[in-house]
Amino acid sequence: AANKIVGTYVRSPLRLGVYVKGGRKLSGIEELRGKTFGVSRMGSNSHLMSYVFGHQQGWEPSKDVPLRIIETLKGAQAAMASGDIDVFVWERFTTKHLVDSGEWDFVCELPSPWHPFLFVASEASLAKLSPELRTVIEVTQPICEEFKANEGESTFRYLAEHHGLDRTDAIDWLGSTQWACHTTVASETLEKTQAALQAIGVLETKRPAEQLLATSVCKLA
């Protein structure tokens, strides 16, 4: 592979939401079968998690979860308003203001079945900069610990200013987010992730850990 995993950034699941246009009278999730799902791009989290959602309902994702590329959150807003898409799967807290305003309705929460954020580097970078890459990962840890500590509610102020979260939402998000910031990856993570990708039909064959990890930097736990 041109890129290799060099560490784990966030170990808690990403909390996504499933959304429909505001005011839509949805009698049940089954009603979304065959409806058009918006995705930012193919292979993106919105694409994979739309398929995960379909698989959880017992649907055949490739048939029952038709996709339309909308590129961005603003693109999703426009496509939802025009009726070009019927459903959108995106991170809960960055979309909450759309629910609060009535633009979208929240259907359900959809946690990712894998660790959502890993550190990844190109093989070219690894060949030249392995020590520097390790340092970059190591220096993120105290920064994330400071962010998590929320001293003087500084993190809450940041979330309010940059992401529009009120205090209740900030408490919810910060309490459920766990950073790792280390150069190890759990073998269970690789196994579960590949199993989930196989289940939704986007991965044919599992890859051994040594093909996925930059073993000069990252260790299997």
Side-chain angles (χ1 to χ4, degrees):
N3 300 306
K4 297 282 189 178
I5 298 170
V6 294
T8 303
Y9 182 39
V10 176
R11 64 173 177 264
S12 52
L14 186 63
R15 296 172 60 187
L16 298 105
V18 179
Y19 301 93
V20 296
K21 188 175 182 179
R24 176 173 182 163
K25 304 299 183 182
L26 194 66
S27 59
I29 287 177
E30 182 63 24
E31 193 178 317
L32 300 178
R33 185 173 189 162
K35 301 299 183 183
T36 302
F37 284 66
V39 300
S40 57
R41 58 182 172 79
M42 301 305 290
S44 67
N45 200 47
S46 53
H47 165 208
L48 298 178
M49 289 303 296
S50 293
Y51 272 17
V52 167
F53 176 70
H55 179 72
Q56 288 178 351
Q57 310 313 313
W59 307 341
E60 185 178 336
S62 61
K63 181 181 71 174
D64 298 326
V65 185
L67 307 173
R68 181 183 294 272
I69 297 174
I70 46 77
E71 296 185 346
T72 63
L73 180 58
K74 287 189 178 296
Q77 290 178 255
M80 191 81 83
S82 67
D84 286 341
I85 65 171
D86 303 291
V87 195
F88 191 53
V89 176
W90 203 252
E91 198 275 336
R92 272 205 70 177
F93 295 95
T94 52
T95 47
K96 190 172 183 299
H97 67 287
L98 300 175
V99 176
D100 292 342
S101 70
E103 183 176 343
W104 289 358
D105 284 346
F106 173 73
V107 178
C108 65
E109 184 165 311
L110 184 65
S112 64
W114 44 64
H115 289 169
F117 299 107
L118 301 177
F119 294 103
V120 176
S122 67
E123 291 186 327
S125 297
L126 286 161
K128 298 177 181 178
L129 301 168
S130 283
E132 289 85 352
L133 290 168
R134 182 186 295 275
T135 299
V136 167
I137 294 171
E138 289 173 349
V139 300
T140 62
Q141 188 168 26
I143 296 170
C144 291
E145 288 174 352
E146 179 182 346
F147 198 71
K148 181 77 170 178
N150 188 34
E151 185 174 349
E153 300 204 342
S154 58
T155 301
F156 289 173
R157 289 195 297 273
Y158 177 89
L159 294 172
E161 180 181 350
H162 295 279
H163 299 288
L165 298 189
D166 61 26
R167 195 173 189 282
T168 300
D169 294 332
I171 291 171
D172 190 4
W173 178 82
L174 191 61
S176 65
T177 303
Q178 298 178 338
W179 286 270
C181 304
H182 53 55
T183 55
T184 60
V185 173
S187 57
E188 183 183 24
T189 295
L190 299 181
E191 178 64 28
K192 283 187 174 181
T193 301
Q194 293 192 84
L197 293 174
Q198 281 188 310
I200 62 176
V202 298
L203 179 68
E204 290 186 5
T205 306
K206 291 181 182 179
R207 304 273 294 279
E210 56 268 23
Q211 291 185 15
L212 301 172
L213 302 184
T215 54
S216 61
V217 178
C218 186
K219 304 303 178 187
L220 195 64

